[in-house]
Amino acid sequence: MADQNLPEVTVETLPELLKDDRAVKVAGVDVDGILRGKLMAKKKFLSIAREGFGFCSVVFGWDMHDQTYFRELKISNKENGYRDVIAVPDLSSFRRIPWENNMPFFLVSFLDPDTHASLSACPRSLLKRAVDKLAGNGLAAMAGAEYEFYQFRAPQSHDGPERNSSSTASFLRDNPVNSLPFLTEGMFGYSLTRPVHNQEYYYSIFDTCAQFRCGIEGWHTESGPGVFEAALEFGEITQMADKAALFKLVVKSLGSKFGITPCFMAKPRQGLPGNSGHMHVSLVDKSGKNLFYREEEDKEHEWQDLRHLSDMGRHFLAGLVDGLADIMPIVAPNINSYKRLVENFWAPVTVSWGLEHRAASIRLISPPTSSPKATRFEVRVPGADANPHFVLAAILALGWRGIERKMDISIPPLGKGEDVGGAADKGERLAKSLKEATERFMRKESVAREVFGDEFVDHFGGTRQHEIRLWDEAVTDWEVRRYIETV
């Protein structure tokens, strides 16, 4: 969906749009939410703008460190020669990169080279397929995203004066991870003084995001040493997923320039808060009217939390509750993700929901505490490490399944003051590890297979099995310190 505030970009208008440029940068999103792309000569870009171009499928055949998956998956493997898939530029995604001399930039989506259908594992395509189901029924989805993340000071490179993400990687190759210094020390959420310490960096992120069309609505320090939190500007759901991915690009790029390494890991340090990636979602009709708001208060329902939530909203919530445990590898995709999802750390650990309940997995936001047009669900399980396109696709797919089936909510709301995972919490305990989550995600009767199809589940599940195997084979510092002398 095009940004309504910008003139439409078409193949015909591209030559004029790019008349003063010599090159164009393009990027697509891989399964880990990482932008993978290249610089193209303008002449080349103009020649492929309509039909797309070949892009090596290996970005769907290797992990975040470019190691090919131990079990070859369908999209990219030795048998098919790691062939090209087709990358088609999304002209509505046009931006200029402020920190790279306003280089023009476009996002791409990936197509299957044989069928020219959207690639099963392409994150942008997965979300679009979910959105298209709504559009066929005259509906659209709106979303918001919030990210918490730590900042570490990049050490000086061993080989020279550089202080950037690469020098941090070199430092961590030879030093304990806990020796990497935080940007600031101590716990000071919502501080007005801490951002002054790194003022140029702090304001550069805010200003650059506005210029790069991934604007920040709220920007503050969060509790934790060197932790910031950004609430991105609310908008149409596919645009929001793009903005979330591009926000990370802004932060990482500027961080490197300032000698700072931002960290979106779910749990960077033991004993400190984790990094969440909360997502807000609502449905609207063609006029933009919020369809989760109940115009006439339901005073008779046994659960007062629902008195201002429409029937459609209730079915959507029921779908989330029913399917959440089956899509956990999407919202918690890494080994480290499950270190955040533990009791007593303000992170949800069960399938739970409640009106304005920040300890629940699904926080209902509605009147009387919000305006009718702001009625929505905040899904609080995802960490900052999750792929925003996959997360929003999953929320939408589960909710739409609930609407189509007119599902009823299967568990009562979590009461105020009740502990998540306590005796009063009737919700199922979410997976405690990526291995447990992936086994459930990939099982034959998984809701994930129903809403996403076998091809996506087998591919993404296979990528998580790769991550699990690497972890199973790893020998950690903790193990060596604990056992080297005593056993």
Side-chain angles (χ1 to χ4, degrees), residues 1 125-143 235-238 280-287 289-292 312-313 316 320 377 392-404 451-452:
M1 182 181 290
S125 300
L126 189 77
L127 178 55
K128 186 177 186 301
R129 291 194 292 270
V131 168
D132 285 348
K133 289 183 180 180
L134 268 69
N137 289 271
L139 306 177
M142 306 296 285
E236 190 274 331
I237 197 166
T238 59
H280 297 247
V281 173
S282 60
L283 298 188
V284 296
D285 64 15
K286 290 181 178 179
S287 70
K289 178 185 175 183
N290 189 310
L291 297 176
F292 286 168
M312 179 180 285
F316 192 98
L320 290 178
F377 295 109
L392 289 171
I395 293 170
L396 211 53
L398 294 182
W400 184 243
R401 174 174 174 266
I403 292 171
E404 283 190 312
V451 298
F452 290 132

Side-chain angles (χ1 to χ4, degrees), residues 65-376:
H65 289 284
D66 296 4
Q67 179 177 336
T68 52
Y69 298 124
F70 77 90
R71 178 169 65 83
E72 298 218 311
L73 303 175
K74 182 177 179 181
I75 293 174
S76 184
N77 52 56
K78 288 180 183 177
E79 188 175 332
N80 67 25
Y82 299 100
R83 65 179 181 173
D84 280 356
V85 291
I86 299 171
V88 179
D90 177 356
L91 300 186
S92 71
S93 71
F94 169 68
R95 291 158 166 81
R96 289 187 178 274
I97 307 175
W99 62 94
E100 293 186 21
N101 298 317
N102 285 322
M103 174 66 62
F105 176 88
F106 294 87
L107 288 165
V108 304
S109 294
F110 297 105
L111 305 182
D112 184 285
D114 294 328
T115 65
H116 281 234
S118 61
L119 196 69
S120 60
C122 170
R124 297 186 83 236
S125 300
L126 189 77
L127 178 55
K128 186 177 186 301
R129 291 194 292 270
V131 168
D132 285 348
K133 289 183 180 180
L134 268 69
N137 289 271
L139 306 177
M142 306 296 285
E146 301 172 0
Y147 282 111
E148 299 167 345
F149 56 103
Y150 281 72
Q151 340 281 320
F152 295 96
R153 292 196 180 278
Q156 185 169 313
S157 170
H158 296 306
D159 305 319
E162 285 197 35
R163 291 177 61 243
N164 52 34
S165 299
S166 183
S167 65
T168 296
S170 298
F171 177 84
L172 291 178
R173 183 186 58 207
D174 304 319
N175 296 277
V177 293
N178 283 357
S179 61
L180 193 64
F182 295 111
L183 182 63
T184 58
E185 289 295 336
M187 316 288 274
F188 201 169
Y190 299 96
S191 170
L192 295 184
T193 57
R194 280 296 169 88
V196 177
H197 298 179
N198 302 279
Q199 183 172 322
E200 189 178 356
Y201 171 62
Y202 183 79
Y203 283 99
S204 289
I205 290 175
F206 186 87
D207 294 340
T208 303
C209 284
Q211 295 165 20
F212 200 48
R213 288 178 51 204
C214 55
I216 297 173
E217 223 167 52
W219 183 223
H220 60 89
T221 64
E222 185 51 89
S223 187
V227 181
F228 292 166
E229 179 174 357
L232 303 185
E233 289 179 354
F234 174 81
E236 190 274 331
I237 197 166
T238 59
Q239 291 182 25
M240 177 52 61
D242 287 346
K243 289 175 183 178
L246 295 172
F247 167 74
K248 287 187 177 182
L249 177 65
V250 171
V251 171
K252 291 176 180 180
S253 298
L254 292 185
S256 234
K257 284 180 175 288
F258 281 90
I260 293 167
T261 298
C263 176
F264 290 87
M265 278 178 66
K267 189 79 166 183
R269 289 281 173 90
Q270 180 181 351
L272 290 172
N275 288 327
S276 67
H278 300 157
M279 293 292 181
H280 297 247
V281 173
S282 60
L283 298 188
V284 296
D285 64 15
K286 290 181 178 179
S287 70
K289 178 185 175 183
N290 189 310
L291 297 176
F292 286 168
Y293 171 63
R294 191 177 204 88
E295 294 188 6
E296 186 173 336
E297 182 181 353
D298 180 1
K299 298 180 180 179
E300 304 301 321
H301 200 284
E302 62 173 314
W303 299 331
Q304 287 298 294
D305 294 52
L306 298 176
R307 63 187 184 275
H308 292 287
L309 186 65
S310 69
D311 288 348
M312 179 180 285
R314 293 173 183 180
H315 296 320
F316 192 98
L317 174 57
L320 290 178
V321 167
D322 185 67
L324 180 61
D326 277 14
I327 56 90
M328 278 299 289
I330 288 178
V331 295
N334 299 310
I335 294 294
N336 178 257
S337 304
Y338 297 83
K339 302 294 176 70
R340 169 180 162 263
L341 299 175
V342 295
E343 285 79 359
N344 302 320
F345 256 106
W346 275 46
V349 297
T350 63
V351 177
S352 52
W353 68 276
L355 177 65
E356 283 295 353
H357 205 313
R358 278 189 161 85
S361 295
I362 306 159
R363 173 189 171 211
L364 168 59
I365 302 170
S366 77
T369 56
S370 78
S371 66
K373 66 180 182 180
T375 303
R376 63 195 188 275

Side-chain angles (χ1 to χ4, degrees), residues 44-65:
K44 172 68 175 177
F45 178 79
L46 291 174
S47 73
I48 56 83
R50 190 186 300 275
E51 302 296 333
F53 63 99
F55 198 114
C56 184
S57 66
V58 75
V59 296
F60 292 98
W62 64 21
D63 65 16
M64 64 183 72
H65 289 284

